Amino acid sequence: MDKRKFSEQDISTKFITPAIESAGWDRMKQYVEQKTFTDGRIHIRGNLTTRGKKKRADYILYYKPNIPIGIIEVKENNHSVGAGMQQGLEYAEILNLPFIFSTNGDRFLFHDKTNTSKIETELELDEFPSPETLWNKYLKYKGIETESAKEIVEQDYFFDGSGKSPRYYQQNAINCTLEAIARGQNRILLVMATGTGKTYTAFQIAHRLWKSKAKKRILFLADRNSLIDQTKRGDFKHFKDKMTIVQKRQVDKSYEVYLAIYQGLTGNEEDKNIFKQFSPDFFDLIIIDECHRGSAKEESAWREVLTYFGSATQIGLTATPKETEEVSNEEYFGEPIYTYSLKQGISDGFLAPYQVIRISLDIDLEGWRPNDGKTDKEGNIIEDRIYNRKDFDRTMVVDERTEIVAQKVTEFLKNTNRYNKTIIFCRDIDHAERMRTAIANLNTDLVAKNHKYVMRITGDNDEGKRELDNFIDPEQTYPVIATTSELMTTGVDAQTCKVIVLDTEIGSMTKFKQIVGRGTRVNEEFGKLYFTILDFRNATDLFADPNFDGDPTRVKVIGDNEPIDDDFENEDNNDESTDIINDPKPPYNTNDSPFTEKKEKHKKIYVNGVDVSVLNQRELYFDNNGKPITIGLKDYTKQVINEQFESMDKFLKTWSEADRKDAIIKELEEQGVPVNELLEAVNKECDLFDIICHVAFEQPPLTRKERANNVKKRNYFTKYGDKATKVIDALIDKYADEGIENLESMDVLKINPISSFGSPMEIVKSFGGRNQYLQAIKELENEIYSIA
């Protein structure tokens, strides 16, 4: 039996699976073959989206379901036994695994992170370690030494029968947390980007600790009623009658799981601090949702709750940990035991990428100085000074500025989809109401159809708050546009939000990340795979901040009279909440609560009759690390190409040998090359192949039509029959119109004019069969690119 003739799958089936099953690994529970653990990054091409390559392991080994401990990478037998090790190590780093195996079917190379004396050894196929052997090594490596600690980490996950299971990063967060608690750690910080399922993660942690009896009474703390309601109706519903919400300042000590908001537990007067009706050791476990708000502040009344229950294990959840001189999550909770960033979520394809359109208004950038004797709308003389962007909608309201922002938002929606869910972030409640009116006046046809087309959703407005659930429900059409100031900055699970409008100053990175997070959820069923940020305040300058960890796909700055669509060719005086979010009403709100409506510091001046216009256009791009590209797009592309291909010959060889040219295009996109923008910048009639040769290697480009005509002149395909030759001619025309990517898909046979030659099966048959057809396509590609 010559193993060298076997495929990788043959090696797995004939040698690796028998070896691990002989060692005692259960096929149903303890290993998964060909395990895909990411969704593949979403790439935006014009109005279309494609998925990048998914990460997939040949085998993942589990001690119990969702408790992974090892990985196996398999290569064909003509490779060395360790050929898969580097890939295995990369995946193990992502999946947090200590045991890595590489094999070619002859034996295993075993990389053991727990063995510091000899980290890699070769094992024969019949020497593969058993589950118990690896698990005992794992426990020792993790510092799990007692039986009670072992019971915690071995506790089963909760399964509801729906087939839902945690993603890899949720497994990492859950398992790391239980291991830390088993070791005796009582202050834990988990940092997970918005939209990555923090509450589901919290539920699995709480449920496993509860079922193992390590924690018998649990308190889940949030700072908004809407978050508590979502938690009760959502992931925590499986606690059923063991769970209650602390409300109306009533305490019932007969439950095991309690959901509460800080404001419902505390007050200005001692008798209002109802949390003291519980004994300090009543709770074993406290989970603090969105712990970057309030509880991070040492003098905060919210912190008093955590200090009072100091003996409990406390887990802080946040997407945006705060670290300033006054406020620190890490000082209280310690370093995060696990972090899953926005950038990683976008890279894995679990979070939606975004594009940015920046619209700069003249009065924002140049300032506005009133003419001599200019009066406000009440007839008062306006103080003679230069007003700028930081004044507008805080102390100075210019009607025309509000109207032009509303015009541009409406224009964008008309050019894309007027029913795309949109959140407009405004300075304050007054600004949000004026923006609602301006949007309504520009969309009278849709507002007449349903007045909920645009609504102000702020904490002071009961009608708007009642519609919040409808706004975030993918099944509900209305409201379509929500104007807000603070209520929707965090904790709003807006799965189908496709447009975020920034018309407020944002000086806080924490707040910026939270706002961007309103759009990062993916919902493929409803076509939500990316979103657009319309920035009227240059808030997206924060992308360049080293503390920002997610990169926009592309940024476009809109000029005067330019159509606004999704076709792409720091002081913060309002960073705290200006909305009263929820009951309980004062006096339960403390002075440092972010939900106390701030008193107006400045009387606003309202003016009209001011000329406001959009300034000139320029385009900005960001590299793959989310940092602004300071050189020209062509120079940046040349730099990326030259890093990957040291010569034109190397590029030509890679291009010609690639089974699918589309794979190279996707790889360049992964490297941060904005392919569509590059084609627009150089010549969209050219193939990307020619653009790269021109930009990186200074070769004169040919258009796709020129390449197509060159192929036809050579009459190379007359060797095929009449029908097949006509199909080839139609495919050449298709290439000239659309590019190489479509030729590489069998779906092209279903599209006119190719489909006029028969069904895909009939067309393939005219070439002699599928393999012969694919060979003809390969020859066609070679002919197209024969002139380099």
Side-chain angles (χ1 to χ4, degrees):
M1 184 165 51
D2 189 354
K3 286 184 185 176
R4 288 172 298 180
K5 294 181 180 177
F6 288 161
S7 67
E8 190 176 292
Q9 185 58 52
D10 289 336
I11 295 290
S12 296
T13 303
K14 296 179 185 297
F15 302 102
I16 308 311
T17 297
I20 61 178
E21 289 188 358
S22 296
W25 294 84
D26 187 326
R27 174 189 290 268
M28 302 304 294
K29 297 179 181 178
Q30 292 187 302
Y31 74 87
V32 177
E33 194 174 351
Q34 296 298 311
K35 173 66 174 178
T36 299
F37 57 90
T38 70
D39 278 359
R41 184 182 184 121
I42 299 166
H43 296 292
I44 308 170
R45 295 185 182 178
N47 296 327
L48 304 175
T49 55
T50 58
R51 285 276 190 182
K53 189 176 180 182
K54 299 179 180 182
K55 287 186 170 66
R56 185 175 63 190
D58 292 327
Y59 292 83
I60 294 181
L61 304 173
Y62 299 84
Y63 179 67
K64 298 181 84 173
N66 292 307
I67 305 178
I69 56 175
I71 188 170
I72 306 173
E73 280 302 312
V74 182
K75 295 296 178 188
E76 294 172 341
N77 192 250
N78 54 9
H79 292 87
S80 67
V81 67
M85 183 55 72
Q86 289 195 159
Q87 185 177 0
L89 287 167
E90 179 190 334
Y91 287 175
E93 189 75 22
I94 296 169
L95 299 172
N96 208 15
L97 306 175
F99 307 122
I100 302 95
F101 299 85
S102 173
T103 182
N104 62 357
D106 288 338
R107 62 190 65 82
F108 295 99
L109 180 64
F110 176 29
H111 183 104
D112 182 0
K113 292 184 181 182
T114 71
N115 188 345
T116 53
S117 59
K118 189 176 183 183
I119 203 161
E120 289 192 356
T121 54
E122 285 199 3
L123 303 173
E124 296 301 322
L125 293 181
D126 60 2
E127 294 177 324
F128 195 83
S130 69
E132 290 301 326
T133 299
L134 290 187
W135 183 240
N136 289 330
K137 288 165 75 72
Y138 181 90
L139 293 175
K140 187 176 179 182
Y141 177 62
K142 294 287 187 175
I144 311 298
E145 297 172 349
T146 65
E147 277 303 312
S148 59
K150 190 177 173 185
E151 285 176 15
I152 291 173
V153 298
E154 290 183 357
Q155 176 61 46
D156 290 337
Y157 274 67
F158 175 82
F159 292 99
D160 62 2
S162 67
K164 180 179 180 179
S165 61
R167 293 169 172 168
Y168 84 83
Y169 61 84
Q170 293 169 334
Q171 284 180 356
N172 287 351
I174 295 162
N175 294 336
C176 284
T177 300
L178 263 71
E179 288 160 11
I181 291 171
R183 289 192 297 268
Q185 187 172 328
N186 273 331
R187 297 291 180 272
I188 292 166
L189 181 61
L190 288 176
V191 178
M192 296 172 66
T194 301
T196 56
K198 289 191 293 295
T199 310
Y200 173 72
T201 301
F203 166 72
Q204 286 287 1
I205 291 168
H207 196 273
R208 288 179 69 192
L209 289 169
W210 180 65
K211 288 296 278 186
S212 69
K213 296 184 168 48
K215 306 296 177 187
K216 297 176 181 176
R217 291 198 185 99
I218 299 165
L219 173 63
F220 182 90
L221 272 179
D223 58 9
R224 300 189 179 185
N225 283 329
S226 58
L227 296 180
I228 290 296
D229 293 340
Q230 281 181 26
T231 301
K232 184 185 180 186
R233 293 196 311 266
D235 299 304
F236 275 61
K237 66 186 177 187
H238 302 292
F239 281 117
K240 298 178 181 175
D241 58 356
K242 304 293 183 184
M243 176 175 64
T244 187
I245 294 179
V246 179
Q247 54 190 347
K248 297 181 181 177
R249 313 193 75 75
Q250 300 296 314
V251 169
D252 183 342
K253 299 179 184 176
S254 63
Y255 291 90
E256 296 177 48
V257 180
Y258 293 78
L259 309 180
I261 60 171
Y262 294 104
Q263 302 95 309
L265 296 179
T266 61
N268 291 331
E269 302 163 22
E270 186 62 25
D271 63 344
K272 301 296 185 183
N273 287 324
I274 68 162
F275 67 89
K276 292 186 177 177
Q277 293 181 37
F278 296 102
S279 63
D281 59 355
F282 185 83
F283 293 109
D284 306 301
L285 174 67
I286 300 177
I287 298 174
I288 305 98
D289 193 23
E290 306 290 1
C291 70
H292 63 279
R293 295 201 300 267
S295 57
K297 226 173 186 176
E298 195 167 342
E299 71 274 14
S300 169
W302 302 357
R303 185 72 157 262
E304 188 183 350
V305 177
L306 303 185
T307 304
Y308 180 79
F309 297 115
S311 63
T313 298
Q314 297 177 8
I315 303 171
L317 303 175
T318 183
T320 52
K322 269 194 175 179
E323 293 302 319
T324 68
E325 289 184 12
E326 296 81 25
V327 179
S328 174
N329 287 122
E330 290 188 11
E331 187 178 316
Y332 184 78
F333 290 103
E335 291 278 333
I337 65 166
Y338 185 71
T339 297
Y340 188 71
S341 68
L342 172 62
K343 180 180 177 181
Q344 189 62 48
I346 292 173
S347 178
D348 287 341
F350 296 128
L351 295 180
Y354 45 94
Q355 53 195 20
V356 181
I357 300 178
R358 295 177 66 163
I359 303 119
S360 300
L361 306 181
D362 57 352
I363 65 169
D364 287 357
L365 300 187
E366 298 169 357
W368 173 70
R369 182 177 181 181
N371 296 329
D372 186 31
K374 175 74 175 175
T375 59
D376 64 15
K377 292 168 76 172
E378 293 180 355
N380 301 311
I381 298 290
I382 300 170
E383 180 188 351
D384 182 16
R385 70 174 180 86
I386 296 175
Y387 297 87
N388 59 34
R389 192 177 65 210
K390 291 176 182 177
D391 296 308
F392 297 135
D393 299 303
R394 183 174 69 96
T395 59
M396 171 63 69
V397 175
V398 178
D399 285 352
E400 287 77 10
R401 190 191 177 285
T402 306
E403 287 164 9
I404 200 166
V405 170
Q407 284 171 18
K408 285 295 176 183
V409 172
T410 300
E411 186 181 319
F412 178 80
L413 291 173
K414 285 183 176 178
N415 288 331
T416 51
N417 184 336
R418 295 179 76 186
Y419 284 93
N420 280 345
K421 292 288 177 86
T422 300
I423 305 175
I424 305 177
F425 288 98
C426 303
R427 272 282 198 171
D428 54 26
I429 292 171
D430 167 64
H431 185 200
E433 177 55 30
R434 288 184 287 105
M435 187 61 69
R436 186 204 65 78
T437 298
I439 293 286
N441 286 336
L442 289 166
N443 295 273
T444 53
D445 56 334
L446 298 186
V447 174
K449 188 175 177 184
N450 190 314
H451 73 277
K452 293 180 182 178
Y453 177 75
V454 56
M455 292 198 74
R456 170 166 63 91
I457 301 181
T458 51
D460 70 319
N461 183 269
D462 290 338
E463 291 80 13
K465 282 197 295 185
R466 280 198 296 270
E467 291 300 321
L468 182 57
D469 283 346
N470 287 332
F471 181 83
I472 65 180
D473 184 350
E475 301 279 357
Q476 299 298 320
T477 302
Y478 300 101
V480 175
I481 302 172
T483 67
T484 190
S485 62
E486 294 288 331
L487 178 61
M488 299 176 74
T489 57
T490 188
V492 177
D493 187 9
Q495 296 178 29
T496 54
C497 176
K498 292 187 176 181
V499 184
I500 288 176
V501 181
L502 303 179
D503 194 23
T504 181
E505 300 292 309
I506 305 173
S508 157
M509 177 58 73
T510 298
K511 182 175 176 181
F512 182 62
K513 285 184 179 180
Q514 290 287 341
I515 287 174
V516 170
R518 296 314 98 214
T520 53
R521 286 172 174 82
V522 171
N523 189 318
E524 298 201 43
E525 181 185 351
F526 288 88
K528 163 66 187 304
L529 288 161
Y530 70 96
F531 66 103
T532 303
I533 299 173
L534 304 184
D535 179 14
F536 290 89
R537 301 268 183 165
N538 281 8
T540 50
D541 284 345
L542 287 167
F543 286 137
D545 190 300
N547 291 321
F548 190 76
D549 60 2
D551 48 322
T553 301
R554 49 194 177 174
V555 178
K556 178 179 182 180
V557 182
I558 295 296
D560 199 4
N561 299 322
E562 182 180 356
I564 175 171
D565 52 32
D566 62 355
D567 181 18
F568 274 69
E569 317 191 36
N570 290 11
E571 169 189 66
D572 186 12
N573 293 302
N574 197 37
D575 191 36
E576 295 179 45
S577 175
T578 55
D579 294 348
I580 299 172
I581 303 302
N582 288 300
D583 289 330
K585 302 248 188 284
Y588 308 135
N589 284 332
T590 63
N591 290 332
D592 58 358
S593 168
F595 309 124
T596 305
E597 187 164 13
K598 296 193 298 183
K599 292 179 181 177
E600 191 69 60
K601 293 180 181 177
H602 306 277
K603 185 177 185 300
K604 286 188 179 181
I605 302 167
Y606 293 82
V607 302
N608 56 18
V610 178
D611 289 331
V612 182
S613 63
V614 175
L615 286 182
N616 293 329
Q617 173 186 347
R618 64 191 178 92
E619 294 191 12
L620 299 177
Y621 299 95
F622 285 64
D623 66 19
N624 212 31
N625 293 313
K627 302 306 172 194
I629 298 169
T630 55
I631 59 177
L633 180 57
K634 295 179 190 177
D635 290 335
Y636 172 70
T637 302
K638 182 176 182 178
Q639 185 178 300
V640 173
I641 298 294
N642 288 338
E643 284 174 5
Q644 196 165 352
F645 307 103
E646 64 263 22
S647 67
M648 183 172 172
D649 287 343
K650 182 72 183 291
F651 170 71
L652 293 176
K653 186 172 187 293
T654 303
W655 185 272
S656 63
E657 290 178 355
D659 288 334
R660 290 181 65 89
K661 312 303 184 219
D662 191 42
I664 297 180
I665 296 170
K666 285 182 179 177
E667 190 173 337
L668 289 173
E669 288 177 323
E670 298 272 0
Q671 296 293 322
V673 175
V675 170
N676 273 17
E677 289 78 359
L678 186 62
L679 290 169
E680 289 284 343
V682 182
N683 186 347
K684 62 182 180 182
E685 300 300 321
C686 288
D687 198 308
L688 183 64
F689 171 86
D690 280 284
I691 300 296
I692 291 172
C693 291
H694 173 64
V695 168
F697 306 112
E698 299 177 356
Q699 298 297 307
L702 293 176
T703 66
R704 292 191 303 275
K705 284 192 175 171
E706 286 172 330
R707 288 194 172 277
N709 289 333
N710 287 335
V711 174
K712 288 183 176 181
K713 287 175 189 174
R714 289 195 290 273
N715 291 322
Y716 177 84
F717 294 97
T718 52
K719 63 179 183 178
Y720 291 102
D722 182 56
K723 182 176 179 178
T725 302
K726 288 177 180 176
V727 170
I728 291 288
D729 280 341
L731 288 171
I732 293 171
D733 291 336
K734 198 78 173 167
Y735 160 78
D737 291 337
E738 300 175 7
I740 196 68
E741 297 98 313
N742 288 334
L743 263 62
E744 298 182 326
S745 169
M746 295 293 285
D747 288 339
V748 75
L749 301 180
K750 302 174 185 175
I751 301 170
N752 274 325
I754 294 98
S755 60
S756 64
F757 296 107
S759 68
M761 188 176 292
E762 289 169 337
I763 293 171
V764 165
K765 194 173 180 181
S766 70
F767 286 85
R770 180 185 174 87
N771 290 339
Q772 290 89 334
Y773 169 76
L774 293 175
Q775 180 59 36
I777 295 299
K778 186 72 177 171
E779 289 175 5
L780 175 56
E781 289 182 346
N782 291 339
E783 286 299 305
I784 287 172
Y785 299 113
S786 63
I787 299 175

